[in-house]
Amino acid sequence: MSDHVYKKIELTGSSTVSVEDAIRNAIRRASKSTHHMRWFEVSETRGHVENGEVAHWQVTVKVGFTLEE
């Protein structure tokens, strides 16, 4: 196993469906321009309430990726 150097970025994804969907939306979108993503951690979860119901989820994740050689 070689030594790796990681960079960490922060993303915020949103969804009307679920927390998991918000995370997947953030990762999916970032993967179009950020390569070699290896892990993520959830740092914040919040939502929007309308008429007494959860209408929207918003999740902030920190994503680690390896730097290219």
Side-chain angles (χ1 to χ4, degrees):
M1 181 172 145
S2 60
D3 294 332
H4 293 287
V5 174
Y6 295 91
K7 181 169 179 75
K8 188 164 47 171
I9 59 173
E10 189 172 86
L11 307 169
T12 301
S14 61
S15 171
T16 57
V17 177
S18 69
V19 170
E20 290 86 359
D21 195 49
I23 294 167
R24 291 180 197 284
N25 288 341
I27 299 293
R28 190 177 299 119
R29 178 68 184 273
S31 72
K32 293 178 181 179
S33 61
T34 303
H35 305 288
H36 311 294
M37 289 187 291
R38 301 292 184 229
W39 51 265
F40 72 91
E41 61 183 272
V42 175
S43 59
E44 293 180 8
T45 305
R46 52 192 170 274
H48 176 210
V49 177
E50 285 183 12
N51 301 319
E53 298 287 332
V54 174
H56 213 88
W57 293 97
Q58 194 175 53
V59 180
T60 300
V61 293
K62 294 179 181 178
V63 178
F65 60 95
T66 54
L67 298 175
E68 293 183 358
E69 296 292 326

